[in-house]
């Protein structure tokens, strides 16, 4: 297998005590149909700052929302994954994008709006935002990215880094296999569908698979999750998994990784993992909290769950 050469990255060029002001240039909804789960694509112009050409896809930027909480403390920093390629949004090195879901929660009959996500979602072109970063040094594409095949697993806004990574791979005439498996609750929640559907149509070696969890059920009554595609699309995915130069990237909801690891083992691919203890016959017997004591991701897995 080719060695995985991760690029050197720069970290925290701007810190929370020394943030930089950037300008919003676009802010649009990325679901095709209207959905109560509002997700927006927001692009910042970082011209004139040290961030130009120094943020890699897979890294995050921090956002400092203005104002104070009810205790009078400044709102804390929130991290958002970069969803533009390292070459910049639309090939412009001074444009960096992110993907933001408005967070809304009800607690004790009261509605709470996430401070940073709703602040960002309300912004208009021309508005200024204080940002920090970049952060993250491992969830990256290798420098020799063209030497590998990829299986990307995303749930919800976990798609953000993969949008940029897939753009980056294909802008360099990528010729290996690449599968993107995306999971969301309803069909109306599919993110960046137009882009990925076009890619799927255009390239025989790009495979776009969507798992919608709360509409139909699988034959055995289980939900359609990203990991169930490993069974349902075995004919397509199994030969890709079997190649020794395939990398797996996982991004999204905490807990999705254990389902993916379990499927990998059940399908005879322990080589992606580091098995640290003798495994029970039925992996579902391992409580989620103890999973990492038994199984950890190996060097071919890149994971960012939250
Ligand atoms: P569900 O909530 O129906 O169980 P979003 O971030 O837009 O809410 O999407 C997250 C998606 O991930 C949903 O479809 C959700 O399904 C699904 N999901 C929840 N738990 C897991 C898990 N353990 N493994 C994989 N997918 C999961």
């Amino acid at each position: 297998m080719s060695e995985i050469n991760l690029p050197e990255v720069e970290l925290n060029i701007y810190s929370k005590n020394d943030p930089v002001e950037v300008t919003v240039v676009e802010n649009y909804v990325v679901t095709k149909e209207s959905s109560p789960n509002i997700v927006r694509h927001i692009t910042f112009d970082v011209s004139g700052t040290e961030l130009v050409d120094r943020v890699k896809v897979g890294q995050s930027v921090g956002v400092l929302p203005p104002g104070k909480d009810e205790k009078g403390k400044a709102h804390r920093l929130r991290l958002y994954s970069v969803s533009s390629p390292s070459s910049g949004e639309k090939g412009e090195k001074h444009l960096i994008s992110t993907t933001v879901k408005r967070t809304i929660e009800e607690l004790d009959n009261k509605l709470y709006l996430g401070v940073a996500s709703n602040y960002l979602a309300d912004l208009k072109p021309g508005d200024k935002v204080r940002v920090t970063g970049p952060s993250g040094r491992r969830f990256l594409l290798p420098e020799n990215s063209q030497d590998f095949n990829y299986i990307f697993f995303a749930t919800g806004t976990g798609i953000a880094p993969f949008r940029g990574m897939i753009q980056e791979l294909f802008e360099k005439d990528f010729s290996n296999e690449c599968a993107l498996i995306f999971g969301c609750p309803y069909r109306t929640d599919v993110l960046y569908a137009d882009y990925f559907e076009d890619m799927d149509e255009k390239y025989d070696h790009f495979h776009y698979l969507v798992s919608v969890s709360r509409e139909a059920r699988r034959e055995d009554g289980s939900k359609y999750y990203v990991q169930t595609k490993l069974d349902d699309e075995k004919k397509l995915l199994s030969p890709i998994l079997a190649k020794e130069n395939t990398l797996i990237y996982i991004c999204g909801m905490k807990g999705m990784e254990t389902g993916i690891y379990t499927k990998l083992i059940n399908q005879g691919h322990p080589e992606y993992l580091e098995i640290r203890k003798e495994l029970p016959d039925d992996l579902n017997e391992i409580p989620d909290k103890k999973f990492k004591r038994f199984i950890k991701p190996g060097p071919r897995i890149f994971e960012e769950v939250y």
Side-chain angles (χ1 to χ4, degrees):
M1 189 188 75
S2 305
E3 211 172 303
I4 304 169
N5 301 326
L6 288 187
E8 287 287 319
V9 288
E10 297 188 72
L11 296 173
N12 290 315
I13 301 170
Y14 294 102
S15 67
K16 74 172 188 240
N17 296 324
D18 178 28
V20 69
E21 203 170 68
V22 300
T23 309
V24 174
V25 291
E26 58 179 0
N27 183 347
Y28 60 83
V29 171
V30 292
T31 47
K32 256 200 218 183
E33 294 169 66
S34 91
S35 161
N37 300 312
I38 300 161
V39 180
R40 305 187 73 96
H41 181 78
I42 305 178
T43 303
F44 302 122
D45 184 344
V46 301
S47 297
T49 77
E50 299 291 317
L51 295 175
V52 177
D53 205 18
R54 285 167 81 183
V55 177
K56 297 253 182 238
V57 63
Q59 290 193 292
S60 300
V61 289
V63 170
L64 283 163
K68 299 198 165 137
D69 63 19
E70 60 273 21
K71 289 186 190 133
K73 273 180 76 180
H75 288 304
R76 64 183 169 80
L77 175 91
R78 264 68 160 208
L79 294 179
Y80 290 92
S81 284
V82 169
S83 53
S84 43
S86 308
S87 55
E89 181 74 356
K90 304 177 188 92
E92 304 278 352
K93 286 184 169 44
H94 60 284
L95 297 181
I96 296 176
S97 302
T98 185
T99 309
V100 178
K101 178 178 179 178
R102 283 191 188 269
T103 52
I104 301 177
E105 245 183 280
E106 197 197 62
L107 274 179
D108 300 328
N109 293 39
K110 212 171 163 244
L111 189 66
Y112 292 88
L113 299 181
V115 171
S117 67
N118 284 285
Y119 157 68
L120 284 170
D122 287 346
L123 293 172
K124 307 246 169 347
D127 287 344
K128 307 280 182 198
V129 183
R130 288 184 310 150
V131 303
T132 68
S135 60
R137 61 164 90 232
R138 170 156 153 91
F139 192 73
L140 300 164
L141 282 179
E143 277 182 318
N144 50 337
S145 58
Q146 307 292 321
D147 293 350
F148 301 96
N149 306 286
Y150 295 87
I151 302 186
F152 294 109
F153 290 94
T155 54
T157 50
I159 193 78
F162 302 149
R163 172 189 182 267
M165 286 180 182
I166 289 164
Q167 286 190 8
E168 183 151 326
L169 288 171
F170 284 80
E171 75 194 10
K172 292 186 200 148
D173 291 331
F174 180 72
S175 59
N176 288 332
E177 294 290 321
C178 175
L180 169 65
I181 308 174
F182 174 73
C184 60
Y186 300 101
R187 262 170 296 177
T188 48
D189 298 319
V190 181
L191 306 179
Y192 299 112
D194 284 340
Y195 171 66
F196 293 118
E197 284 166 3
D198 282 355
M199 289 287 294
D200 188 82
E201 208 153 281
K202 198 161 160 197
Y203 299 106
D204 285 344
H205 56 303
F206 180 78
H207 315 281
Y208 179 45
L209 306 169
V210 176
S211 297
V212 172
S213 61
R214 298 192 199 163
E215 294 185 15
R217 291 272 172 152
R218 294 170 74 236
E219 245 170 49
D220 65 2
S222 63
K223 283 183 162 183
Y224 284 100
Y225 275 168
V226 284
Q227 60 270 33
T228 58
K229 285 284 183 219
L230 292 172
D231 288 331
D232 301 341
E233 295 287 342
K234 199 166 178 181
K235 221 169 130 196
L236 168 73
L237 296 172
S238 200
I240 305 178
L241 278 177
K243 292 179 198 270
E244 60 168 22
N245 59 336
T246 293
L247 306 180
I248 293 179
Y249 284 67
I250 300 170
C251 189
M253 211 171 167
K254 204 180 180 78
M256 66 184 285
E257 73 284 15
T258 56
I260 294 169
Y261 299 167
T262 301
K263 280 276 185 262
L264 287 174
I265 290 178
N266 290 343
Q267 292 203 355
H269 289 294
E271 70 275 17
Y272 283 92
L273 300 158
E274 195 187 303
I275 315 280
R276 317 182 105 197
K277 272 189 176 188
E278 199 174 324
L279 298 175
D281 287 339
D282 181 359
L283 296 181
N284 295 319
E285 281 173 17
I286 307 175
D288 267 2
K289 275 196 185 145
K290 294 202 173 149
F291 205 86
K292 289 252 150 89
R293 285 194 214 161
F294 286 81
I295 300 170
K296 287 203 20 163
R300 284 201 279 157
I301 294 193
F302 297 81
E303 161 189 307
E304 189 138 290
V305 290
Y306 41 85

